[in-house]
Amino acid sequence: MNAPATTELPVVVIGAGPAGLAAAVHLVDQGIEPLVLEAGRTAGAAVREWSHVRLFSTWGEVVDPAAEKLLAPTGWTRPDPATYPSGGDWADRYLQPLADVLGDRVRLGAAVTGVSRSGRDRIVDAERERQPFVVHVAHADGREERILARAVIDASGTWATPSPAGGSGLPALGEKAAADRIGYRVPDLKDPAVRARYAGRRTAVIGSGASAFTALADLADLAGSGDGEGTKGVWILRRGISGSTFGGGEADQLPARGALGLAAKAAVDEGHVDAVTGFRTESIERDADGRLILVGEDGRRLDAVDEVIVLTGFRPDLSFVDELRLGLDERLHAPVALAPLIDPNQHSCGTVYPHGHRELSHPEQGVYLVGMKSYGRAPTFLAMTGYEQVRSVAAAIAGDLDSADRVELTLPETGVCGGAGLFDTPDVQQPDGDGGGCCGS
């Protein structure tokens, strides 16, 4: 095809979530036309799927400053910066208004199925960098489209690709066949239909992070309620229980995070949850009644459960960017220059150094993975970090390297890696807003 000059083309942004919409705003600030492609039918479609989960981050930490300036002429005002939104609040009160202001620059129901260089697969060197990117899109109405772009910012996140129950990083044997009784998200137990699924039943929770704490605390609350008699949780831990298993507790600088860990501990101590330690799931079998039996790599067979909630993290979907030359760390699937800065063995949210276009660059010039997707399998992402990423990337695309290289973010000393707190619990003292927090479940 005869392609227009690359500088006349838009920058395609994949995903209309927090990082993707912020990227579009910063591109507009640079005088560059963005085109945001969102697979869902609304802005923040993935965030809406955990609308019942409350963030540890305050409103002051989840609104991009440039986006706030763009919204201001519409009469939009940021909610109290010291309060904590739920995922639904974040989507309804910030992401959707921002998408509305961006207007036709945001296309919904547009799933990106592939990205490459126009006329070049990944093995062709000749004049590669002179070719625009070509983005293949499948629309909700069945149409297919090819869009040329001067650069691509992939902010599609990791929500759609949760990690499996299997202890080796692969699905356990029988996991797919048991899909009717397995969930990979924190269930909304305020929803009557969801509540009925777990009430009075035995549920295994696999995972050791904040999402697992949330599910355990919610199951314990259900067990103590009038309609939840007989509800029992089984907490599956791949490691043993130590002093750090439940987080910082009362010593945590963020009381809500500490309260969440204490609630999970109370669920175990009060007998609502049984903890099974050192268990790596190898297979999932059904008994004669259709209930699930977890079998460990060490041969242990647990008593049957009615449901399994797998909360073992998320991983990036790299299938549609496979024709691009990406430089990814072999462990985290994060950009190679970023991986050492976010290694969860060494860092929490608050100890990740602010970073930008240089750490996010790849051998394929002009393509950037940002937001949650840039972290690969690392769980320590902050919304503020994502906003700084896209500010830097937009400046780099515009050729303003002075701005792109300048750090314009000071991270809090303490970070929360994961979402969901007990903010609806009356006796939990809420933080005063001086701590940081991750945003996600």
Side-chain angles (χ1 to χ4, degrees):
M1 72 180 80
N2 293 322
T6 301
T7 54
E8 298 175 6
L9 298 172
V11 172
V12 165
V13 179
I14 306 173
L21 293 175
V25 171
H26 285 282
L27 289 166
V28 171
D29 271 358
Q30 293 288 347
I32 298 172
E33 194 64 19
L35 177 59
V36 182
L37 302 175
E38 166 59 49
R41 296 185 179 276
T42 62
V47 175
R48 293 179 187 280
E49 292 193 23
W50 48 272
S51 60
H52 60 291
V53 176
R54 195 168 296 277
L55 280 67
F56 282 133
S57 302
T58 64
W59 272 113
E61 296 163 339
V62 299
V63 173
D64 180 85
E68 186 170 5
K69 290 180 182 178
L70 184 65
L71 284 165
T74 70
W76 184 89
T77 56
R78 182 178 62 182
D80 183 347
T83 60
Y84 296 79
S86 66
D89 295 333
W90 201 17
D92 289 336
R93 302 177 66 183
Y94 170 62
L95 299 178
Q96 188 60 55
L98 185 54
D100 291 342
V101 169
L102 289 167
D104 291 341
R105 296 182 176 107
V106 179
R107 295 186 188 175
L108 304 175
V112 173
T113 59
V115 183
S116 186
R117 290 280 188 178
S118 180
R120 306 288 188 274
D121 63 26
R122 68 182 296 164
I123 68 172
V124 177
D125 291 332
E127 297 188 333
R128 184 176 188 86
E129 292 182 3
R130 295 170 60 95
Q131 305 304 312
F133 292 94
V134 59
V135 181
H136 285 219
V137 182
H139 293 275
D141 61 7
R143 290 182 300 114
E144 291 184 307
E145 182 182 10
R146 291 195 300 177
I147 298 171
L148 296 180
R150 64 184 288 185
V152 175
I153 299 175
D154 183 354
S156 58
T158 59
W159 179 253
T161 46
S163 295
S168 300
L170 300 172
L173 298 177
E175 182 172 346
K176 294 180 180 179
D180 59 314
R181 289 178 179 257
I182 300 178
Y184 296 86
R185 310 287 192 273
V186 176
D188 181 3
L189 296 185
K190 293 180 180 178
D191 182 310
V194 176
R195 191 176 183 88
R197 175 173 176 173
Y198 295 95
R201 299 192 174 191
R202 181 178 170 87
T203 299
V205 177
I206 305 176
S208 60
S211 293
F213 290 172
T214 303
L216 294 169
D218 287 352
L219 288 171
D221 285 345
L222 177 58
S225 67
D227 62 342
E229 183 179 357
T231 302
K232 185 75 172 183
V234 182
W235 188 16
I236 310 299
L237 287 156
R238 292 173 178 173
R239 56 184 181 229
I241 292 180
S242 66
S244 63
T245 298
F246 298 100
E250 294 179 356
D252 199 306
Q253 294 184 42
L254 296 175
R257 177 178 65 173
L260 182 57
L262 290 175
K265 185 176 187 300
V268 175
D269 292 344
E270 294 170 6
H272 295 306
V273 172
D274 294 332
V276 179
T277 61
F279 189 93
R280 293 183 174 273
T281 307
E282 182 174 77
S283 64
I284 300 176
E285 301 175 358
R286 288 187 188 266
D287 68 9
D289 297 322
R291 303 173 79 207
L292 303 182
I293 299 171
L294 303 185
V295 181
E297 292 178 352
D298 58 4
R300 278 185 289 172
R301 298 171 62 87
L302 304 184
D303 291 341
V305 296
D306 299 286
E307 302 285 343
V308 176
I309 303 172
V310 180
L311 300 170
T312 53
F314 296 85
R315 54 186 62 179
D317 178 6
L318 301 170
S319 61
F320 60 87
V321 290
D322 190 54
E323 285 302 315
L324 298 175
R325 297 177 177 181
L326 302 180
L328 298 174
D329 177 75
E330 70 235 13
R331 294 179 304 145
L332 296 182
H333 281 159
V336 290
L338 177 60
L341 305 180
I342 62 172
D343 185 342
N345 293 301
Q346 304 293 329
H347 295 283
S348 70
C349 298
T351 63
V352 173
Y353 185 78
H355 53 275
H357 74 109
R358 296 196 185 277
E359 292 84 357
L360 298 170
S361 295
H362 294 275
E364 191 84 71
Q365 294 183 20
V367 61
Y368 301 92
L369 275 56
V370 302
M372 280 294 299
K373 191 163 186 175
S374 71
Y375 272 40
R377 299 192 184 197
T380 53
F381 184 72
L382 281 164
M384 292 186 295
T385 300
Y387 296 154
E388 174 67 3
Q389 286 180 343
V390 297
R391 183 204 63 79
S392 173
V393 165
I397 292 173
D400 185 358
L401 294 185
D402 287 341
S403 176
D405 289 335
R406 186 168 59 246
V407 174
E408 297 186 2
L409 170 67
T410 300
L411 287 173
E413 294 181 0
T414 301
V416 179
C417 305
L422 299 184
F423 293 89
D424 294 326
T425 303
D427 58 351
V428 174
Q429 180 182 355
Q430 299 219 7
D432 58 11
D434 62 353
C438 288
C439 40
S441 61

